[in-house]
């Protein structure tokens, strides 16, 4: 029997790339010596990933990936969360699973059983100016498919959150559509993040088709403009916005715009903080917003919580919070 929305066990479950972030500080010379493009993301193969793992100086290793960052942020606020993503039976796969358990995130996707791929990793090299240069090995994370979708988990979640980065291979696209269908049929809502302008350009038509079943859409200014094929944010919002769609557009230091049923709410940021590492800012904004949305906060309050969490994460190295976000929760939160 399908539970009513407010009776569901989980606030948010997510589908995304299960990636271990390997984060290390480095010099600009290191980037030059290793042919790493500064302030960019480059896809790499397994042997290159192994080399960079060896070369990283005293790295922090933490479960990552955009959707996983968001889910652990919600859990840090006290939300009940779950994650679906593919890891291998290797050391980094164990890192990912153990981190999720410690973060109180339900994670029960079956292991990838092939020998050709390893657990995905993103080497994040941070230079003294705070810029992050990423080399990403997607490994088995992109092998997520429909039979990895946990129907019972989605039926028992208020919101199913889809990570745009995962939307590449046909099996993953089918998994997205299947998950959205299950969520809608079970009285849940569907949220999605566009993730990156490259994802939007590559999958614009498919994203627009999927948008018909989306209740909450997260994007930054560049992503929403790319989706709408418009030059400015206002025109892009006018094209994408529709009734019963909540559109959350992050605008960097300007804050965020929350659009719902013809109303545009401007949510300013907190006082500016020094940017140490911008990794995970959008992920943590989505975390704060979704926690607020599922716990009785207004759209403006939810956006404000998202801004505070994003503002904190850009002031530290890495995509995860290093303080307790409950300090920012409204007294109106459930």
């Amino acid at each position: 029997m399908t539970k009513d929305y407010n009776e569901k066990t989980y606030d948010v479950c997510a589908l995304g790339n299960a990636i271990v972030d390997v984060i290390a500080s480095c010099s600009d010379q290191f980037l030059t010596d290793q042919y790493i493009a500064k302030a960019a993301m480059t896809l790499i193969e397994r042997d290159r990933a192994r080399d960079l793992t060896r070369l990283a100086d005293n790295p922090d290793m933490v479960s990552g990936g955009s959707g996983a960052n968001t889910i652990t942020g919600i859990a840090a606020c006290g939300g009940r969360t779950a994650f679906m993503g593919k890891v291998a039976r290797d050391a980094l796969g164990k890192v990912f699973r153990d981190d999720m358990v410690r973060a109180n995130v339900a994670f029960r996707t079956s292991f990838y059983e092939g020998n050709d791929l390893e657990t995905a990793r993103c080497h994040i090299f941070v230079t003294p100016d705070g810029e992050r240069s990423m080399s990403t090995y997607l490994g088995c994370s992109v092998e997520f498919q429909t039979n990895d979708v946990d129907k019972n988990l989605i039926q028992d979640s208020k919101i199913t959150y889809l990570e745009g980065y995962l939307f590449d291979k046909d099996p993953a696209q089918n998994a997205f559509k299947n998950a959205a269908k299950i969520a809608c049929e079970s009285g849940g809502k569907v949220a999605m993040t566009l993730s990156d302008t490259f994802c939007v350009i590559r999958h614009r038509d498919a994203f627009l088709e999927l948008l018909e079943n989306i209740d909450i859409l997260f994007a930054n200014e560049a992503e929403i403009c790319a989706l709408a094929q418009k030059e400015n944010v206002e025109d892009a919002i006018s094209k994408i916005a529709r009734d019963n769609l909540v559109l959350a557009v992050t605008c960097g230091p300007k804050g965020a715009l929350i659009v719902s049923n013809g109303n545009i709410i401007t949510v300013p940021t907190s006082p500016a903080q020094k940017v140490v590492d911008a990794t995970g800012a959008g992920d943590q904004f989505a975390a704060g917003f979704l926690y607020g949305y599922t716990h009785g906060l207004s759209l403006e309050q939810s956006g404000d919580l998202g801004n505070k969490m994003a503002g904190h994460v850009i002031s530290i190295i890495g995509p995860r919070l290093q303080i307790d976000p409950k300090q920012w929760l409204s007294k109106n939160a459930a």
Side-chain angles (χ1 to χ4, degrees):
M1 182 177 177
T2 301
K3 293 182 180 179
D4 290 337
Y5 180 85
N6 291 319
E7 295 178 344
K8 294 179 184 289
T9 300
Y10 299 99
D11 298 316
V12 185
C13 72
L15 282 68
N17 282 322
I19 299 176
V20 175
D21 289 333
V22 182
I23 307 167
S25 298
C26 75
S27 65
D28 284 287
Q29 188 61 49
F30 175 87
L31 298 182
T32 300
D33 292 345
Q34 295 303 319
Y35 306 99
I36 297 172
K38 184 171 180 175
M41 193 283 284
T42 304
L43 293 177
I44 59 175
E45 299 298 326
R46 183 179 64 179
D47 290 345
R48 172 68 165 159
R50 289 175 173 177
D51 287 341
L52 291 181
T53 300
R54 177 176 54 83
L55 291 169
D57 183 22
N58 193 29
D60 289 325
M61 295 190 180
V62 60
S63 58
S66 175
N69 290 337
T70 295
I71 284 298
T72 55
I74 298 169
C77 290
R80 301 160 299 174
T81 63
F83 182 77
M84 288 175 262
K86 210 73 173 171
V87 297
R89 292 182 184 273
D90 54 22
L92 289 180
K94 185 176 187 303
V95 167
F96 190 93
R97 283 187 177 273
D98 289 350
D99 273 358
M100 290 308 222
V101 170
R102 281 194 295 270
N104 294 317
V105 176
F107 179 57
R108 55 198 192 205
T109 309
S110 62
F111 284 106
Y112 177 76
E113 297 294 355
N115 296 318
D116 54 329
L117 299 172
E118 298 176 359
T119 295
R121 71 205 69 167
C122 180
H123 289 278
I124 304 173
F125 291 103
V126 184
T127 42
D129 58 1
E131 288 287 0
R132 69 201 197 284
S133 306
M134 298 181 288
S135 299
T136 304
Y137 165 64
L138 293 175
C140 66
S141 68
V142 295
E143 298 304 312
F144 191 91
Q145 51 194 299
T146 300
N147 61 11
D148 291 311
V149 174
D150 189 327
K151 179 178 180 179
N152 293 331
L153 196 57
I154 292 175
Q155 290 176 331
D156 206 13
S157 298
K158 294 179 181 178
I159 294 177
T160 298
Y161 180 70
L162 308 175
E163 176 195 320
Y165 280 126
L166 182 61
F167 195 87
D168 195 36
K169 291 189 174 183
D170 288 344
Q173 293 187 25
N174 292 333
F176 266 43
K177 294 172 184 176
N178 180 249
K181 183 174 183 290
I182 295 169
C184 292
E185 291 177 347
S186 59
K189 294 181 181 293
V190 182
M192 181 177 175
T193 174
L194 294 180
S195 294
D196 190 273
T197 52
F198 173 80
C199 296
V200 177
I201 293 168
R202 183 174 173 84
H203 302 296
R204 181 184 292 110
D205 290 343
F207 278 179
L208 288 171
E209 180 182 351
L210 189 62
L211 192 59
E212 296 176 5
N213 295 314
I214 301 298
D215 300 289
I216 305 170
L217 181 68
F218 293 95
N220 63 27
E221 292 174 293
E223 292 159 2
I224 197 66
C225 287
L227 183 66
Q229 294 184 288
K230 296 293 184 180
E231 294 294 326
N232 62 71
V233 174
E234 292 76 13
D235 289 344
I237 287 173
S238 294
K239 182 174 179 178
I240 299 301
R242 59 168 170 76
D243 290 345
N244 302 317
L245 172 67
V246 175
L247 181 57
V249 181
T250 55
C251 307
K254 295 178 291 185
L257 299 173
I258 312 298
V259 185
S260 176
N261 294 324
N263 298 314
I264 300 178
I265 303 168
T266 300
V267 187
T269 58
S270 302
Q273 299 187 51
K274 180 182 177 181
V275 179
V276 174
D277 174 15
T279 308
D283 304 336
Q284 293 302 336
F285 175 86
F289 186 90
L290 289 173
Y291 177 85
Y293 188 91
T294 54
H295 285 78
L297 273 67
S298 68
L299 294 179
E300 184 173 6
Q301 289 173 320
S302 298
D304 182 63
L305 178 58
N307 278 342
K308 285 182 169 63
M309 290 174 66
H312 163 71
V313 85
I314 65 173
S315 71
I316 60 174
I317 292 179
R320 300 290 175 86
L321 304 176
Q322 293 182 7
I323 59 176
D324 188 347
K326 296 184 185 69
Q327 64 182 288
W328 295 314
L329 297 180
S330 165
K331 64 183 179 180
N332 296 319

